[in-house]
Amino acid sequence: MRAFLSGRFVVFDGPDGCGKSTQFRRFADWASAQGVTVTEVREPGGTSIGEQIRAILLDPVNSAMMIRCEMLLYMASRAQLLEERIRPALERGELVLADRFVSSTLAYQGTAGGMTRDDILEVARVAVGDMWPDDIVIFDVDTDTAWQRMAAGRADSSPDRMEQKSAEFHERVRQGYLQQCREDPARYVTIDARQNPETVFARLVESFVSRMKAGIAPRVRRS
Ligand code: TMP
């Protein structure tokens, strides 16, 4: 498993309230226990510049933000994260575990926000070049369950600008992820995230073990 995970770029993604942060923590600890050095990053953010962009993106005061501005800010944070942290870690042969990536932009600003896939991918090409993830794990959950988890997760804080969007918007986000999974089944792995965290984690590890057994190696990257 160590050889399989080293130098691999893995993204955890899914709608708000899907429980990916819990799984992210568990998986990072599990991978470290396999003897792999893990670099953990989150989006938007993950660098000093990215965290400043994150604050702008999530501040409810910025309700006038236009969709193109929003998409470009997410990509700007990503471009910085890629050069500052992701590329160097992959070059050192570490496992990069990212909480969200381009798949989030395709779901939120694309399917839900109305931007075309082509426009997003054109900007993504500038932001990340050919540094695409080897595996994109989508934690899928119905919108009602996600809504309840989101509310429980912010017991003492108010919803951010993205969480304030309508239930219909969040349903489109979910559909956006499912569509990406259908379009690229070799790269995307869907995990049913309605179950309890232990069951979800067992499925997650199982899916990595079976990919390793199937001999799916990381794609060759040009730098
Ligand atoms: P987080 O809550 O997982 O940290 O993500 C922050 C919010 O930003 C979440 O509502 C998803 C949203 N988002 C986008 O809309 N587009 C993106 O490209 C990314 C990375 C996140």
Side-chain angles (χ1 to χ4, degrees):
M1 191 43 87
R2 183 177 172 200
F4 178 74
L5 292 175
S6 296
R8 209 165 181 99
F9 180 12
V10 177
V11 169
F12 280 16
D13 212 333
D16 288 277
C18 69
K20 77 180 154 45
S21 303
T22 308
Q23 299 301 326
F24 186 93
R25 182 72 269 124
R26 286 184 174 218
F27 190 78
D29 293 345
W30 175 81
S32 297
Q34 310 296 311
V36 187
T37 305
V38 185
T39 288
E40 300 174 31
V41 295
R42 75 155 178 181
E43 285 206 354
T47 64
S48 164
I49 291 167
E51 290 296 330
Q52 294 172 67
I53 297 175
R54 179 183 176 92
I56 296 171
L57 277 165
L58 300 186
D59 190 340
V61 87
N62 293 325
S63 58
M65 191 180 293
M66 299 297 175
I67 190 71
R68 281 182 172 69
C69 171
E70 183 177 295
M71 188 273 273
L72 290 166
L73 285 176
Y74 278 113
M75 286 290 186
S77 167
R78 182 167 300 138
Q80 183 69 25
L81 182 68
L82 190 102
E83 291 307 333
E84 203 178 309
R85 299 204 45 214
I86 296 178
R87 189 192 300 279
L90 290 173
E91 283 172 359
R92 290 192 299 268
E94 297 172 8
L95 164 68
V96 172
L97 192 54
D99 187 335
R100 300 193 181 281
F101 201 62
V102 175
S103 37
S104 281
T105 314
L106 287 168
Y108 282 82
Q109 284 68 50
T111 314
M115 291 207 66
T116 69
R117 185 174 181 275
D118 285 354
D119 279 353
I120 292 172
L121 291 181
E122 208 172 318
V123 180
R125 196 185 51 74
V126 177
V128 308
D130 61 358
M131 295 294 270
W132 285 91
D134 300 298
D135 307 275
I136 303 168
V137 183
I138 303 298
F139 295 91
D140 180 50
V141 72
D142 61 276
T143 308
D144 283 350
T145 307
W147 211 250
Q148 284 162 18
R149 286 185 187 166
M150 235 194 303
R154 57 160 190 262
D156 44 346
S157 62
S158 47
D160 65 35
R161 194 178 63 85
M162 300 304 289
E163 289 170 340
Q164 281 181 356
K165 293 188 186 283
S166 66
E168 290 73 27
F169 177 90
H170 287 282
E171 178 55 33
R172 289 201 299 277
V173 167
R174 180 188 185 204
Q175 294 308 323
Y177 281 118
L178 294 176
Q179 188 180 341
Q180 291 176 59
C181 296
R182 284 193 296 272
E183 285 168 358
D184 189 358
R187 201 189 299 266
Y188 283 78
V189 177
T190 316
I191 302 278
D192 180 350
R194 284 169 306 173
Q195 316 288 330
N196 62 56
E198 289 69 32
T199 309
V200 173
F201 185 65
R203 297 238 170 95
L204 175 64
V205 169
E206 223 172 78
S207 88
F208 271 85
V209 170
S210 70
R211 285 164 85 72
M212 183 189 72
K213 286 187 178 154
I216 301 171
R219 289 160 185 83
V220 177
R221 293 188 190 84
R222 282 179 282 124
S223 49

